[in-house]
Amino acid sequence: MEKSKLKSKDLHLKVLGLILAIAAISFPAAHAQKTIVDRTIDETEMIYLSAIREDFVNHRENVSLLYDIGMGIVQRIDSLFTGQRADTANTDLVRGIMVTRQYDRTIMAYRDILNGSYISDPQLKLKIARHAAFFKGYADAKREWDNQWDITARPFIYKHGLFNHPPVSRTSEPEKRYDLYRDSEFRTVLWDRRMFAYDVTYITPALLESADAIIERIDELLND
């Protein structure tokens, strides 16, 4: 009788151990399945992700465009200061450096993305929040630089007859006092313009890299 009880007890323990083992194996799988379900993107979030992607692609193109404008200004003014320019006609000197185009700030609509439940992916939320803060600082700075140009440089250039040909003297040579590039004040204005444009080109690679990381993450989520 005692042996029978011992055998029954051993069998009970073995069955209990088997049940616990099965439960231990099943729990991680069930947990993993729940995690996958939690990360599934619903239709509404897909709409948000697609819209954000489109805005960031346009944002990247806008940043690249302003980089090209800024680099053109830098190269144009540098060629004057280094003596590489053959002609120094007033109208030709400033053609291209008058542009004061601002950044398109559409992506700033997503700067508070962390406060909403529109996006479930934490990596993307952080990338967007950091980029928006980073971009806003430089967009504000560029606006101030362009405003300074509009307030100080434009009136100076217009006052000195930028778009008028200098009168011809008795020797049939343009009078030097009408050549703006010889004016020390104008050269100072040009140098400020050159430095502002250079700052735009200097920060552009970091902005593009950040935007690319966001677009890449969105593509991963949309294709997952």
Side-chain angles (χ1 to χ4, degrees):
M1 178 68 72
E2 290 295 331
K3 290 183 178 180
S4 177
K5 288 183 178 180
L6 288 174
K7 288 182 179 180
S8 177
K9 186 176 181 180
D10 290 342
L11 180 60
H12 177 73
L13 291 175
K14 288 180 179 180
V15 171
L16 180 61
L18 181 61
I19 293 174
L20 292 174
I22 294 173
I25 295 173
S26 301
F27 179 75
H31 179 70
Q33 184 177 3
K34 184 178 185 303
T35 302
I36 293 174
V37 171
D38 288 344
R39 289 179 57 85
T40 301
I41 299 175
D42 60 25
E43 184 177 352
T44 300
E45 186 172 354
M46 290 280 286
I47 294 174
Y48 277 109
L49 289 175
S50 298
I52 294 172
R53 186 188 188 282
E54 182 178 355
D55 284 339
F56 268 89
V57 169
N58 292 335
H59 165 64
R60 193 189 190 288
E61 293 176 354
N62 178 249
V63 171
S64 297
L65 173 61
L66 267 65
Y67 171 85
D68 292 339
I69 293 174
M71 183 57 69
I73 292 173
V74 170
Q75 293 174 346
R76 195 172 192 82
I77 295 177
D78 281 352
S79 70
L80 172 65
F81 287 148
T82 58
Q84 296 175 345
R85 295 181 60 83
D87 83 64
T88 55
N90 292 347
T91 52
D92 185 62
L93 274 179
V94 296
R95 185 181 300 125
I97 69 172
M98 301 290 285
V99 179
T100 54
R101 180 177 302 196
Q102 298 294 317
Y103 285 111
D104 181 348
R105 299 194 180 209
T106 301
I107 65 159
M108 295 308 298
Y110 304 111
R111 63 183 174 181
D112 296 326
I113 204 71
L114 288 175
N115 299 328
S117 58
Y118 316 104
I119 299 175
S120 60
D121 185 70
Q123 291 186 39
L124 181 58
K125 285 184 177 182
L126 288 173
K127 289 179 184 295
I128 292 176
R130 288 170 179 167
H131 182 90
F134 183 49
F135 170 69
K136 183 178 184 302
Y138 279 96
D140 290 345
K142 186 179 188 308
R143 175 170 291 175
E144 293 181 5
W145 299 336
D146 289 344
N147 285 343
Q148 180 176 335
W149 169 260
D150 288 336
I151 293 172
T152 61
R154 285 184 185 276
F156 176 86
I157 293 174
Y158 295 153
K159 179 180 178 181
H160 289 77
L162 166 65
F163 297 112
N164 296 323
H165 293 289
V168 178
S169 66
R170 294 177 181 177
T171 60
S172 297
E173 292 292 335
E175 296 183 13
K176 291 182 178 180
R177 63 189 177 91
Y178 287 95
D179 290 336
L180 285 179
Y181 84 100
R182 298 178 182 275
D183 189 300
S184 60
E185 184 178 353
F186 180 63
R187 293 174 73 88
T188 300
V189 167
L190 286 179
W191 182 252
D192 281 345
R193 182 62 168 156
R194 189 262 183 209
M195 293 308 297
F196 295 155
Y198 175 77
D199 287 340
V200 171
T201 63
Y202 178 78
I203 197 58
T204 296
L207 283 172
L208 293 179
E209 182 180 357
S210 179
D212 285 341
I214 291 171
I215 296 171
E216 180 180 358
R217 182 57 185 167
I218 292 175
D219 286 341
E220 290 176 354
L221 294 172
L222 291 175
N223 297 324
D224 189 3

